[in-house]
Amino acid sequence: MSDRTVLHVKGRVLVGPEEVRDELWVVDGRISYDRPAGARDIRTVRGWALPGLVDAHCHVGLDRHGAVPQDVAEKQALTDRDAGTLLIRDAGSPSDTRWIDDRDDLPKIIRAGRHIARTRRYIRNYAWEIEPDDLVAYVAQEARRGDGWVKLVGDWIDRDLGDLSACWPRGAVEAAIAEAHRLGARVTAHCFSEDSLQDLVEAGIDCIEHATGLTEDLIPLFAERGVAIVPTLVNIATFPQLADGGEARFPRWSAHMRRLHERRYDTVRGAYDAGIPVFVGTDAGGGLAHGLAASEVAELVTAGIPPVEALAAGTWTARAWLGRPGLDEGAPADLVVYDEDPRKDVGVLAAPRRVVLNGRVVG
């Protein structure tokens, strides 16, 4: 496509779960629902159009060992893009990926800065590892560096205890979250276990990643405070393998991880039924491959979330939650076209027909 080419998307344009239009036009990279006057160089794409998928927990520029070179980060971003993921909330990375913002052919990224963890309580080379007295200062630093989000490590294995445990005292997280909010940033936290959740939610946190420790007694608190969860079920599927690897040294932790895995679907369905906002996220970029947003939507359906709501968790409602437009008049034309209606079968998401980013067909 040249810069003068007008893209005509024709078929069924899913502006929202119930709002469906017959066509849209892309002019100068932006969406219009009015046919442009005098357009001659027109390319037509037919099918079912959705806003670009959202992966609300992804790590571009990171692998299992830490930061990666730029060419590797580029491949990660391209893998996500080609799978239809056009908006990423990068939930913690030691890499500087600002160069991606200058590339019209790569997904848009909302950064949470670098993870903030307790000393020796997270994956090596990932996080700033600090003690509670420094938490406010580091949260302020990452709030200024990020794009409106900060990422804490709320719990991790305590080697002396031999199991998961909370990383931060209540007073420290209260002060840190208050500072982030003062600076205009929201706060999210990695949490596998149960015992970190109440303090974090009561301290004012905005989101919990994984949330496998969410129990029936905590669900009303999350719902009352409007705290979102990003379950990353495609990552939680690896818990049995992790448990097997650590059983000899940490049998208590291994048993705990297996229990969390066994009840993962009940946990997510219980959260959804209570009105807790649930969003799609894969945790790609650590030990997990990129391009799995469609698989995560399918996992939410397996957990018992209705297909249209699971689809919304990775498209319309996710974009609204992150403050980014969907298929709105004048918005950047970031959309994916499928052969069939993804509202009827979310499995359709795994096979995009066309990917359009900033108004250009890139896949």
PDB file of all heavy atoms in Angstrom, residues 144-172:
ATOM      1  N   ARG A 144       7.705   7.510  36.848  1.00  0.00           N
ATOM      2  CA  ARG A 144       8.150   8.554  35.918  1.00  0.00           C
ATOM      3  C   ARG A 144       8.669   7.965  34.620  1.00  0.00           C
ATOM      4  O   ARG A 144       8.579   8.587  33.563  1.00  0.00           O
ATOM      5  CB  ARG A 144       9.214   9.420  36.592  1.00  0.00           C
ATOM      6  CG  ARG A 144       8.694  10.234  37.777  1.00  0.00           C
ATOM      7  CD  ARG A 144       9.741  11.185  38.314  1.00  0.00           C
ATOM      8  NE  ARG A 144       9.213  12.002  39.403  1.00  0.00           N
ATOM      9  CZ  ARG A 144       9.437  11.783  40.687  1.00  0.00           C
ATOM     10  NH1 ARG A 144      10.202  10.751  41.067  1.00  0.00           N
ATOM     11  NH2 ARG A 144       8.922  12.576  41.615  1.00  0.00           N
ATOM     12  N   ARG A 145       9.232   6.759  34.684  1.00  0.00           N
ATOM     13  CA  ARG A 145       9.798   6.128  33.493  1.00  0.00           C
ATOM     14  C   ARG A 145       8.755   5.400  32.655  1.00  0.00           C
ATOM     15  O   ARG A 145       8.930   5.203  31.455  1.00  0.00           O
ATOM     16  CB  ARG A 145      10.871   5.111  33.909  1.00  0.00           C
ATOM     17  CG  ARG A 145      12.147   5.738  34.436  1.00  0.00           C
ATOM     18  CD  ARG A 145      13.133   4.656  34.842  1.00  0.00           C
ATOM     19  NE  ARG A 145      14.419   5.202  35.249  1.00  0.00           N
ATOM     20  CZ  ARG A 145      15.417   4.470  35.735  1.00  0.00           C
ATOM     21  NH1 ARG A 145      15.261   3.160  35.865  1.00  0.00           N
ATOM     22  NH2 ARG A 145      16.552   5.046  36.074  1.00  0.00           N
ATOM     23  N   GLY A 146       7.694   4.959  33.281  1.00  0.00           N
ATOM     24  CA  GLY A 146       6.705   4.135  32.596  1.00  0.00           C
ATOM     25  C   GLY A 146       5.649   4.957  31.883  1.00  0.00           C
ATOM     26  O   GLY A 146       5.765   6.175  31.713  1.00  0.00           O
ATOM     27  N   ASP A 147       4.608   4.261  31.458  1.00  0.00           N
ATOM     28  CA  ASP A 147       3.508   4.884  30.718  1.00  0.00           C
ATOM     29  C   ASP A 147       2.216   4.806  31.523  1.00  0.00           C
ATOM     30  O   ASP A 147       1.167   4.416  31.018  1.00  0.00           O
ATOM     31  CB  ASP A 147       3.325   4.190  29.366  1.00  0.00           C
ATOM     32  CG  ASP A 147       4.555   4.292  28.495  1.00  0.00           C
ATOM     33  OD1 ASP A 147       5.133   5.395  28.415  1.00  0.00           O
ATOM     34  OD2 ASP A 147       4.948   3.275  27.899  1.00  0.00           O
ATOM     35  N   GLY A 148       2.318   5.157  32.796  1.00  0.00           N
ATOM     36  CA  GLY A 148       1.133   5.179  33.638  1.00  0.00           C
ATOM     37  C   GLY A 148       0.909   3.939  34.468  1.00  0.00           C
ATOM     38  O   GLY A 148      -0.147   3.789  35.091  1.00  0.00           O
ATOM     39  N   TRP A 149       1.925   3.037  34.519  1.00  0.00           N
ATOM     40  CA  TRP A 149       1.826   1.837  35.341  1.00  0.00           C
ATOM     41  C   TRP A 149       3.145   1.579  36.064  1.00  0.00           C
ATOM     42  O   TRP A 149       4.216   1.936  35.559  1.00  0.00           O
ATOM     43  CB  TRP A 149       1.489   0.604  34.493  1.00  0.00           C
ATOM     44  CG  TRP A 149       0.055   0.541  34.080  1.00  0.00           C
ATOM     45  CD1 TRP A 149      -0.495   1.054  32.952  1.00  0.00           C
ATOM     46  CD2 TRP A 149      -1.019  -0.072  34.812  1.00  0.00           C
ATOM     47  NE1 TRP A 149      -1.844   0.801  32.914  1.00  0.00           N
ATOM     48  CE2 TRP A 149      -2.188   0.118  34.044  1.00  0.00           C
ATOM     49  CE3 TRP A 149      -1.097  -0.749  36.024  1.00  0.00           C
ATOM     50  CZ2 TRP A 149      -3.435  -0.364  34.461  1.00  0.00           C
ATOM     51  CZ3 TRP A 149      -2.333  -1.228  36.430  1.00  0.00           C
ATOM     52  CH2 TRP A 149      -3.488  -1.030  35.659  1.00  0.00           C
ATOM     53  N   VAL A 150       3.039   0.939  37.230  1.00  0.00           N
ATOM     54  CA  VAL A 150       4.196   0.451  37.983  1.00  0.00           C
ATOM     55  C   VAL A 150       3.931  -1.001  38.337  1.00  0.00           C
ATOM     56  O   VAL A 150       2.795  -1.371  38.671  1.00  0.00           O
ATOM     57  CB  VAL A 150       4.419   1.278  39.273  1.00  0.00           C
ATOM     58  CG1 VAL A 150       5.544   0.683  40.110  1.00  0.00           C
ATOM     59  CG2 VAL A 150       4.718   2.734  38.941  1.00  0.00           C
ATOM     60  N   LYS A 151       4.972  -1.832  38.302  1.00  0.00           N
ATOM     61  CA  LYS A 151       4.821  -3.275  38.578  1.00  0.00           C
ATOM     62  C   LYS A 151       5.625  -3.684  39.808  1.00  0.00           C
ATOM     63  O   LYS A 151       6.847  -3.560  39.844  1.00  0.00           O
ATOM     64  CB  LYS A 151       5.316  -4.065  37.359  1.00  0.00           C
ATOM     65  CG  LYS A 151       5.427  -5.579  37.561  1.00  0.00           C
ATOM     66  CD  LYS A 151       4.066  -6.248  37.608  1.00  0.00           C
ATOM     67  CE  LYS A 151       4.208  -7.765  37.679  1.00  0.00           C
ATOM     68  NZ  LYS A 151       4.794  -8.347  36.467  1.00  0.00           N
ATOM     69  N   LEU A 152       4.926  -4.181  40.830  1.00  0.00           N
ATOM     70  CA  LEU A 152       5.555  -4.739  42.028  1.00  0.00           C
ATOM     71  C   LEU A 152       5.554  -6.259  41.948  1.00  0.00           C
ATOM     72  O   LEU A 152       4.692  -6.860  41.311  1.00  0.00           O
ATOM     73  CB  LEU A 152       4.786  -4.324  43.289  1.00  0.00           C
ATOM     74  CG  LEU A 152       4.547  -2.843  43.540  1.00  0.00           C
ATOM     75  CD1 LEU A 152       3.761  -2.671  44.840  1.00  0.00           C
ATOM     76  CD2 LEU A 152       5.855  -2.080  43.602  1.00  0.00           C
ATOM     77  N   VAL A 153       6.497  -6.872  42.619  1.00  0.00           N
ATOM     78  CA  VAL A 153       6.460  -8.310  42.864  1.00  0.00           C
ATOM     79  C   VAL A 153       5.884  -8.479  44.264  1.00  0.00           C
ATOM     80  O   VAL A 153       6.543  -8.193  45.261  1.00  0.00           O
ATOM     81  CB  VAL A 153       7.851  -8.945  42.739  1.00  0.00           C
ATOM     82  CG1 VAL A 153       7.791 -10.430  43.082  1.00  0.00           C
ATOM     83  CG2 VAL A 153       8.390  -8.747  41.327  1.00  0.00           C
ATOM     84  N   GLY A 154       4.627  -8.903  44.320  1.00  0.00           N
ATOM     85  CA  GLY A 154       3.916  -8.941  45.595  1.00  0.00           C
ATOM     86  C   GLY A 154       4.245 -10.134  46.454  1.00  0.00           C
ATOM     87  O   GLY A 154       4.168 -10.068  47.685  1.00  0.00           O
ATOM     88  N   ASP A 155       4.595 -11.267  45.820  1.00  0.00           N
ATOM     89  CA  ASP A 155       5.004 -12.449  46.584  1.00  0.00           C
ATOM     90  C   ASP A 155       5.970 -13.277  45.753  1.00  0.00           C
ATOM     91  O   ASP A 155       6.045 -13.146  44.534  1.00  0.00           O
ATOM     92  CB  ASP A 155       3.802 -13.284  47.027  1.00  0.00           C
ATOM     93  CG  ASP A 155       2.998 -13.872  45.854  1.00  0.00           C
ATOM     94  OD1 ASP A 155       3.596 -14.250  44.831  1.00  0.00           O
ATOM     95  OD2 ASP A 155       1.773 -13.971  45.977  1.00  0.00           O
ATOM     96  N   TRP A 156       6.713 -14.120  46.434  1.00  0.00           N
ATOM     97  CA  TRP A 156       7.654 -15.023  45.776  1.00  0.00           C
ATOM     98  C   TRP A 156       8.076 -16.046  46.812  1.00  0.00           C
ATOM     99  O   TRP A 156       7.753 -15.918  48.003  1.00  0.00           O
ATOM    100  CB  TRP A 156       8.870 -14.259  45.237  1.00  0.00           C
ATOM    101  CG  TRP A 156       9.673 -15.035  44.225  1.00  0.00           C
ATOM    102  CD1 TRP A 156      10.922 -15.542  44.386  1.00  0.00           C
ATOM    103  CD2 TRP A 156       9.281 -15.364  42.882  1.00  0.00           C
ATOM    104  NE1 TRP A 156      11.339 -16.176  43.239  1.00  0.00           N
ATOM    105  CE2 TRP A 156      10.346 -16.082  42.294  1.00  0.00           C
ATOM    106  CE3 TRP A 156       8.145 -15.130  42.124  1.00  0.00           C
ATOM    107  CZ2 TRP A 156      10.302 -16.562  40.991  1.00  0.00           C
ATOM    108  CZ3 TRP A 156       8.094 -15.601  40.830  1.00  0.00           C
ATOM    109  CH2 TRP A 156       9.155 -16.309  40.276  1.00  0.00           C
ATOM    110  N   ILE A 157       8.780 -17.056  46.381  1.00  0.00           N
ATOM    111  CA  ILE A 157       9.197 -18.084  47.325  1.00  0.00           C
ATOM    112  C   ILE A 157      10.171 -17.507  48.347  1.00  0.00           C
ATOM    113  O   ILE A 157      11.104 -16.778  48.009  1.00  0.00           O
ATOM    114  CB  ILE A 157       9.809 -19.302  46.608  1.00  0.00           C
ATOM    115  CG1 ILE A 157      10.040 -20.439  47.600  1.00  0.00           C
ATOM    116  CG2 ILE A 157      11.083 -18.917  45.860  1.00  0.00           C
ATOM    117  CD1 ILE A 157      10.378 -21.751  46.937  1.00  0.00           C
ATOM    118  N   ASP A 158       9.909 -17.800  49.613  1.00  0.00           N
ATOM    119  CA  ASP A 158      10.812 -17.475  50.718  1.00  0.00           C
ATOM    120  C   ASP A 158      11.597 -18.753  51.000  1.00  0.00           C
ATOM    121  O   ASP A 158      11.027 -19.755  51.440  1.00  0.00           O
ATOM    122  CB  ASP A 158       9.995 -17.038  51.937  1.00  0.00           C
ATOM    123  CG  ASP A 158      10.857 -16.645  53.123  1.00  0.00           C
ATOM    124  OD1 ASP A 158      11.918 -17.277  53.329  1.00  0.00           O
ATOM    125  OD2 ASP A 158      10.457 -15.721  53.853  1.00  0.00           O
ATOM    126  N   ARG A 159      12.892 -18.740  50.733  1.00  0.00           N
ATOM    127  CA  ARG A 159      13.692 -19.965  50.837  1.00  0.00           C
ATOM    128  C   ARG A 159      13.748 -20.503  52.257  1.00  0.00           C
ATOM    129  O   ARG A 159      13.835 -21.721  52.465  1.00  0.00           O
ATOM    130  CB  ARG A 159      15.103 -19.707  50.294  1.00  0.00           C
ATOM    131  CG  ARG A 159      15.129 -19.476  48.778  1.00  0.00           C
ATOM    132  CD  ARG A 159      16.462 -18.938  48.296  1.00  0.00           C
ATOM    133  NE  ARG A 159      16.499 -18.775  46.853  1.00  0.00           N
ATOM    134  CZ  ARG A 159      15.987 -17.744  46.199  1.00  0.00           C
ATOM    135  NH1 ARG A 159      15.382 -16.773  46.882  1.00  0.00           N
ATOM    136  NH2 ARG A 159      16.058 -17.672  44.888  1.00  0.00           N
ATOM    137  N   ASP A 160      13.702 -19.626  53.245  1.00  0.00           N
ATOM    138  CA  ASP A 160      13.704 -20.092  54.632  1.00  0.00           C
ATOM    139  C   ASP A 160      12.383 -20.762  54.995  1.00  0.00           C
ATOM    140  O   ASP A 160      12.354 -21.764  55.712  1.00  0.00           O
ATOM    141  CB  ASP A 160      13.975 -18.919  55.582  1.00  0.00           C
ATOM    142  CG  ASP A 160      15.366 -18.347  55.419  1.00  0.00           C
ATOM    143  OD1 ASP A 160      16.288 -19.114  55.030  1.00  0.00           O
ATOM    144  OD2 ASP A 160      15.550 -17.135  55.657  1.00  0.00           O
ATOM    145  N   LEU A 161      11.289 -20.208  54.479  1.00  0.00           N
ATOM    146  CA  LEU A 161       9.972 -20.772  54.741  1.00  0.00           C
ATOM    147  C   LEU A 161       9.702 -21.992  53.865  1.00  0.00           C
ATOM    148  O   LEU A 161       8.954 -22.899  54.248  1.00  0.00           O
ATOM    149  CB  LEU A 161       8.910 -19.692  54.485  1.00  0.00           C
ATOM    150  CG  LEU A 161       7.454 -20.035  54.752  1.00  0.00           C
ATOM    151  CD1 LEU A 161       7.237 -20.298  56.233  1.00  0.00           C
ATOM    152  CD2 LEU A 161       6.550 -18.895  54.263  1.00  0.00           C
ATOM    153  N   GLY A 162      10.310 -22.001  52.674  1.00  0.00           N
ATOM    154  CA  GLY A 162      10.081 -23.090  51.740  1.00  0.00           C
ATOM    155  C   GLY A 162       8.761 -22.994  51.010  1.00  0.00           C
ATOM    156  O   GLY A 162       8.256 -23.993  50.478  1.00  0.00           O
ATOM    157  N   ASP A 163       8.196 -21.784  50.939  1.00  0.00           N
ATOM    158  CA  ASP A 163       6.904 -21.603  50.275  1.00  0.00           C
ATOM    159  C   ASP A 163       6.768 -20.145  49.853  1.00  0.00           C
ATOM    160  O   ASP A 163       7.568 -19.287  50.219  1.00  0.00           O
ATOM    161  CB  ASP A 163       5.768 -21.987  51.222  1.00  0.00           C
ATOM    162  CG  ASP A 163       4.453 -22.265  50.502  1.00  0.00           C
ATOM    163  OD1 ASP A 163       4.420 -22.149  49.251  1.00  0.00           O
ATOM    164  OD2 ASP A 163       3.466 -22.580  51.181  1.00  0.00           O
ATOM    165  N   LEU A 164       5.705 -19.874  49.096  1.00  0.00           N
ATOM    166  CA  LEU A 164       5.381 -18.504  48.722  1.00  0.00           C
ATOM    167  C   LEU A 164       5.028 -17.693  49.955  1.00  0.00           C
ATOM    168  O   LEU A 164       4.374 -18.197  50.871  1.00  0.00           O
ATOM    169  CB  LEU A 164       4.184 -18.492  47.766  1.00  0.00           C
ATOM    170  CG  LEU A 164       4.344 -19.213  46.430  1.00  0.00           C
ATOM    171  CD1 LEU A 164       2.978 -19.385  45.765  1.00  0.00           C
ATOM    172  CD2 LEU A 164       5.293 -18.438  45.514  1.00  0.00           C
ATOM    173  N   SER A 165       5.428 -16.432  49.963  1.00  0.00           N
ATOM    174  CA  SER A 165       5.003 -15.524  51.029  1.00  0.00           C
ATOM    175  C   SER A 165       5.065 -14.096  50.531  1.00  0.00           C
ATOM    176  O   SER A 165       5.767 -13.780  49.564  1.00  0.00           O
ATOM    177  CB  SER A 165       5.863 -15.681  52.286  1.00  0.00           C
ATOM    178  OG  SER A 165       7.167 -15.181  52.069  1.00  0.00           O
ATOM    179  N   ALA A 166       4.327 -13.216  51.203  1.00  0.00           N
ATOM    180  CA  ALA A 166       4.283 -11.804  50.816  1.00  0.00           C
ATOM    181  C   ALA A 166       5.663 -11.170  50.946  1.00  0.00           C
ATOM    182  O   ALA A 166       6.433 -11.504  51.850  1.00  0.00           O
ATOM    183  CB  ALA A 166       3.273 -11.063  51.679  1.00  0.00           C
ATOM    184  N   CYS A 167       5.949 -10.230  50.044  1.00  0.00           N
ATOM    185  CA  CYS A 167       7.273  -9.595  50.011  1.00  0.00           C
ATOM    186  C   CYS A 167       7.354  -8.297  50.798  1.00  0.00           C
ATOM    187  O   CYS A 167       8.450  -7.915  51.225  1.00  0.00           O
ATOM    188  CB  CYS A 167       7.671  -9.310  48.564  1.00  0.00           C
ATOM    189  SG  CYS A 167       8.001 -10.774  47.578  1.00  0.00           S
ATOM    190  N   TRP A 168       6.224  -7.602  50.983  1.00  0.00           N
ATOM    191  CA  TRP A 168       6.285  -6.242  51.515  1.00  0.00           C
ATOM    192  C   TRP A 168       5.387  -6.076  52.738  1.00  0.00           C
ATOM    193  O   TRP A 168       4.260  -6.567  52.747  1.00  0.00           O
ATOM    194  CB  TRP A 168       5.834  -5.235  50.453  1.00  0.00           C
ATOM    195  CG  TRP A 168       6.512  -5.396  49.143  1.00  0.00           C
ATOM    196  CD1 TRP A 168       6.001  -5.955  48.008  1.00  0.00           C
ATOM    197  CD2 TRP A 168       7.846  -5.000  48.818  1.00  0.00           C
ATOM    198  NE1 TRP A 168       6.926  -5.927  47.006  1.00  0.00           N
ATOM    199  CE2 TRP A 168       8.073  -5.343  47.467  1.00  0.00           C
ATOM    200  CE3 TRP A 168       8.878  -4.379  49.532  1.00  0.00           C
ATOM    201  CZ2 TRP A 168       9.281  -5.092  46.811  1.00  0.00           C
ATOM    202  CZ3 TRP A 168      10.079  -4.129  48.889  1.00  0.00           C
ATOM    203  CH2 TRP A 168      10.273  -4.481  47.552  1.00  0.00           C
ATOM    204  N   PRO A 169       5.840  -5.334  53.736  1.00  0.00           N
ATOM    205  CA  PRO A 169       4.947  -4.998  54.850  1.00  0.00           C
ATOM    206  C   PRO A 169       3.857  -4.023  54.414  1.00  0.00           C
ATOM    207  O   PRO A 169       4.044  -3.251  53.459  1.00  0.00           O
ATOM    208  CB  PRO A 169       5.886  -4.360  55.877  1.00  0.00           C
ATOM    209  CG  PRO A 169       7.109  -3.973  55.152  1.00  0.00           C
ATOM    210  CD  PRO A 169       7.211  -4.848  53.947  1.00  0.00           C
ATOM    211  N   ARG A 170       2.744  -4.067  55.110  1.00  0.00           N
ATOM    212  CA  ARG A 170       1.563  -3.271  54.733  1.00  0.00           C
ATOM    213  C   ARG A 170       1.891  -1.780  54.614  1.00  0.00           C
ATOM    214  O   ARG A 170       1.511  -1.122  53.646  1.00  0.00           O
ATOM    215  CB  ARG A 170       0.460  -3.508  55.770  1.00  0.00           C
ATOM    216  CG  ARG A 170      -0.743  -2.602  55.697  1.00  0.00           C
ATOM    217  CD  ARG A 170      -1.626  -2.899  54.498  1.00  0.00           C
ATOM    218  NE  ARG A 170      -2.861  -2.152  54.569  1.00  0.00           N
ATOM    219  CZ  ARG A 170      -4.010  -2.630  55.041  1.00  0.00           C
ATOM    220  NH1 ARG A 170      -4.079  -3.888  55.469  1.00  0.00           N
ATOM    221  NH2 ARG A 170      -5.084  -1.897  55.069  1.00  0.00           N
ATOM    222  N   GLY A 171       2.604  -1.230  55.575  1.00  0.00           N
ATOM    223  CA  GLY A 171       2.900   0.204  55.551  1.00  0.00           C
ATOM    224  C   GLY A 171       3.697   0.615  54.326  1.00  0.00           C
ATOM    225  O   GLY A 171       3.483   1.694  53.757  1.00  0.00           O
ATOM    226  N   ALA A 172       4.616  -0.237  53.904  1.00  0.00           N
ATOM    227  CA  ALA A 172       5.458   0.081  52.748  1.00  0.00           C
ATOM    228  C   ALA A 172       4.634   0.150  51.467  1.00  0.00           C
ATOM    229  O   ALA A 172       4.813   1.063  50.648  1.00  0.00           O
ATOM    230  CB  ALA A 172       6.577  -0.941  52.611  1.00  0.00           C
TER     231      ALA A 172
END
